[in-house]
Amino acid sequence: MPGDAPEPRRFMPTGPLTGRIRVPGDKSISHRALMLGAMAIGETRIAGLLEGEDVLATATALRQMGARIARDGSDWIVAGMGTGGLLQPGGALEMGNSGTSARLLMGLLASQAVTAVFTGDASLSRRPMARVIAPLAQMGARFEASPGGTLPLLMAGIEPAVPVTYRLPVASAQVKSAVLLAGLNTPGITTVIEPTPTRDHTERMLEGFGASLEIGEDSGARVIRIVGQPELRPRSIEVPGDPSSAAFFLVAASIVPGSDLVIENVGVNPARTGLVTVLRQMGADITELAPREAGSEPVADLHVRHASLFGIEVDPALAPAMIDEFPALFVAAACARGRTVTRGLEELRVKESDRLAVMAAALAAVGARVDERADGLAIDGTNGDPLLGTSEAGGPVASHLDHRIAMSLAIAGLASRNGVEVDDTRPIATSFPGFEALLARATER
Ligand code: S3P
């Protein structure tokens, strides 16, 4: 994270959000593009890579294991080492704040004869790794984790690993991806059974690189089989704009009167668009313009106009398709008419922060009426009136090293009377460098 001292900032109420903007590249797709590029033989060219700290942590780790990764103009080039070709890293792999880097790289390394120490920041060092350790240990990798199955952690990969059939006990694209990436260098067929579908970027990208993948269904569950040890073909990848970053602008434009904004080139993979569905159910005015394909992913421009939102009961089945968007949704709910109730969100307690507890406290601090429950929040909205915001005397709201909390509170500031002071904006750079500048541009007159 840049600098040792927190960087607090007050986000003031503004006029409407207007014009056309672009958000940075998709974080999930960027991690996967670097990792699979490193497994291909030859040069992979990536356009639109997210240059956030999380993705750069993945790039640094892959470089430590021999991949050549460099910027070329606005593109990135990865010179891969072939499936199973990573080298023993000289030092610890520093994952920073990035759960995706940690869990996916563990998968990638589990079936290679390398030993690595994974470290992370205070937030990542609290997050559960047992969910990836369990299947990867079944495949033969060995782990020495910190108490509670956390980082710092030492992992010894094994070659050849044992192919397994693994049924996911939690709906997690990271766990699914870790097993599939481990299966990449494992002889035979590795199978993942996914009772609740999650984002499928790994599957789409593996196919794009020429891996042999079979996706089927069994008793309502998705079944993904990967044949190990393929020769991956390098390719060109266009990374679409991140729907999880667009989320803050979708909510901001929905709640700030007079807004009329187009967010160009956003990924609209159905496994990621739960927020758009829920906002529309709440009365939001969002349309998809010029739908198209880019780099094996559906993309569109999103046109959002201010609308009066009303509270709803959010269908828990939509949670995996908007798992990172709940902090933003909670802000929309706090400004809506009536009550919004969310359930089935236990996973939010093990994200970059405990997003239920942290958002409940933060929204209460800016004047919203929130009831925190074990598996969700119930929020009574202001009926379109501004939130109170924070006072000088009350001090800033705590974002707990969580980029998405910080950005959600920034959006709350736009729809507040006094503005909202956020304790530390540095974590925003993990996923959305340029967020504040883009917000300023969208709100300038
Ligand atoms: C991600 C999956 C999700 C998400 C995270 C990125 C991915 O995590 O919250 O930000 O890139 O696969 P889980 O798999 O833990 O739900």
Side-chain angles (χ1 to χ4, degrees):
M1 198 154 35
D4 288 337
E7 288 171 17
R9 168 118 158 73
R10 179 171 282 278
F11 291 89
M12 296 304 288
T14 57
L17 290 89
T18 56
R20 300 179 76 87
I21 59 166
R22 277 189 180 229
V23 295
D26 188 280
K27 181 156 77 71
S28 292
I29 296 174
S30 295
H31 284 293
R32 288 156 172 82
L34 291 173
M35 290 183 202
L36 292 184
M39 291 294 97
I41 296 177
E43 272 191 13
T44 287
R45 177 173 287 270
I46 309 169
L49 186 87
L50 170 64
E51 296 176 355
E53 288 165 8
D54 279 17
V55 173
L56 297 179
T58 288
T60 302
L62 290 169
R63 281 196 194 109
Q64 282 174 270
M65 296 182 283
R68 278 180 294 122
I69 302 177
R71 209 168 195 271
D72 178 29
S74 59
D75 290 356
W76 285 74
I77 308 278
V78 183
M81 337 252 309
T83 305
L86 293 177
L87 307 173
Q88 176 68 40
L93 305 178
E94 173 50 66
M95 304 284 97
N97 192 250
S98 180
T100 312
S101 306
R103 296 193 180 114
L104 269 58
L105 283 172
M106 282 181 211
L108 199 66
L109 295 192
S111 55
Q112 309 198 29
V114 296
T115 297
V117 171
F118 289 80
T119 58
D121 72 3
S123 154
L124 184 58
S125 300
R126 281 191 291 270
R127 297 181 64 189
M129 295 297 146
R131 52 182 60 197
V132 281
I133 293 176
L136 300 178
Q138 277 179 29
M139 296 178 79
R142 199 171 51 76
F143 291 86
E144 288 169 25
S146 297
T150 56
L151 302 189
L153 163 164
L154 178 139
M155 191 194 96
I158 185 161
E159 199 165 353
V162 184
V164 294
T165 294
Y166 191 70
R167 190 180 176 90
L168 294 177
V170 298
S172 166
Q174 292 182 354
V175 179
K176 168 176 67 177
S177 302
V179 178
L180 292 175
L181 291 174
L184 199 54
N185 194 41
T186 300
I189 296 176
T190 297
T191 306
V192 179
I193 302 171
E194 187 178 46
T196 311
T198 61
R199 64 189 71 190
D200 61 355
H201 306 304
T202 304
E203 295 93 305
R204 286 173 187 254
M205 201 177 285
L206 277 166
E207 281 174 337
F209 272 92
S212 170
L213 216 69
E214 198 188 287
I215 301 174
E217 202 232 273
D218 184 18
S219 317
R222 236 173 130 244
V223 180
I224 309 139
R225 293 190 179 83
I226 181 167
V227 180
Q229 300 182 322
E231 198 167 294
L232 297 186
R233 291 187 299 268
R235 55 179 290 219
S236 289
I237 297 171
E238 240 181 89
V239 181
D242 196 327
S244 299
S245 296
F248 304 105
F249 287 89
L250 290 174
V251 169
S254 294
I255 62 179
V256 176
S259 295
D260 186 340
L261 183 72
V262 175
I263 314 169
E264 295 175 345
N265 200 44
V266 182
V268 289
N269 181 320
R272 298 287 298 282
T273 50
L275 177 73
V276 173
T277 305
V278 169
L279 285 175
R280 282 182 179 146
Q281 290 170 352
M282 295 172 76
D285 178 355
I286 302 172
T287 37
E288 272 183 27
L289 308 175
R292 54 203 184 266
E293 284 267 321
S296 327
E297 293 280 347
V299 170
D301 301 331
L302 298 180
H303 183 194
V304 52
R305 279 180 286 218
H306 169 257
S308 309
L309 302 183
F310 48 87
I312 61 164
E313 298 226 350
V314 177
D315 179 358
L318 286 169
M322 56 179 295
I323 196 66
D324 292 334
E325 282 65 84
F326 281 97
L329 174 72
F330 295 149
V331 173
C335 299
R337 171 159 48 88
R339 168 169 279 214
T340 297
V341 180
T342 55
R343 290 181 226 282
L345 303 181
E346 296 86 348
E347 271 296 300
L348 293 195
R349 297 206 181 270
V350 292
K351 293 295 179 191
E352 285 82 331
S353 67
D354 175 343
R355 287 182 173 161
L356 293 179
V358 170
M359 279 306 291
L363 285 176
V366 302
R369 286 173 299 158
V370 191
D371 178 18
E372 182 187 346
R373 299 163 177 185
D375 68 338
L377 301 185
I379 300 173
D380 289 304
T382 57
N383 197 11
D385 290 337
L387 293 158
L388 185 59
T390 55
S391 64
E392 294 292 340
V397 254
S399 57
H400 293 266
L401 282 177
D402 187 331
H403 53 133
R404 298 200 200 282
I405 302 287
M407 289 185 274
S408 300
L409 296 174
I411 297 309
L414 303 189
S416 72
R417 203 161 298 163
N418 301 330
V420 167
E421 189 180 5
V422 180
D423 65 341
D424 191 4
T425 51
R426 290 171 305 162
I428 291 173
T430 62
S431 70
F432 200 155
F435 167 76
E436 290 178 51
L438 198 57
L439 195 56
R441 221 187 85 200
T443 52
E444 82 195 357
R445 283 160 203 249

